[in-house]
Amino acid sequence: MYELVNAGLKAESQVALPLVYKGVDLEKSYRVDILVEEKIILELKSVAQLEPVHYKQLLSYLKLSGLRIGYLINFNEKDFKNGYHRIVNGY
């Protein structure tokens, strides 16, 4: 967060995604780790290995928010270039 804000970007952490299920507002059901410029979702992990559920989680967040681009970032990788993945919501 510090680096994003320091770079002059608008960044918010733990942003709640609206969710309505059968007419019931489940407002605080899902939270995005970081929302950048109200356009990009950053989903942060620190796991031995990213699993398919992690990718599905980010794609669900993109669909619920109506956003197109997200990055899944695993900080438990030796090389950072192996630890991030760009996910695109095809709507």
Side-chain angles (χ1 to χ4, degrees):
M1 283 296 299
Y2 174 82
E3 291 297 335
L4 293 168
V5 172
N6 198 40
L9 297 170
K10 179 182 177 187
E12 302 170 83
S13 65
Q14 296 301 307
V15 177
L17 289 179
L19 177 62
V20 178
Y21 178 72
K22 294 186 177 181
V24 177
D25 186 5
L26 303 173
E27 178 182 322
K28 299 185 183 202
S29 297
Y30 296 104
R31 292 191 177 274
V32 170
D33 286 337
I34 299 177
L35 180 61
V36 181
E37 293 289 321
E38 298 179 1
K39 295 180 181 178
I40 299 172
I41 294 175
L42 303 180
E43 185 61 27
L44 310 178
K45 304 291 182 195
S46 183
V47 292
Q49 175 179 314
L50 290 172
E51 300 292 339
V53 68
H54 298 127
Y55 295 90
K56 290 176 184 176
Q57 177 187 19
L58 177 53
L59 188 55
S60 293
Y61 289 171
L62 290 169
K63 289 179 179 180
L64 285 170
S65 67
L67 297 176
R68 187 156 167 79
I69 304 293
Y71 288 89
L72 181 57
I73 302 170
N74 184 10
F75 288 102
N76 196 26
E77 285 284 345
K78 185 175 181 179
D79 292 320
F80 183 75
K81 66 181 179 180
N82 297 326
Y84 73 95
H85 303 272
R86 183 176 186 251
I87 307 297
V88 177
N89 177 13
Y91 300 113

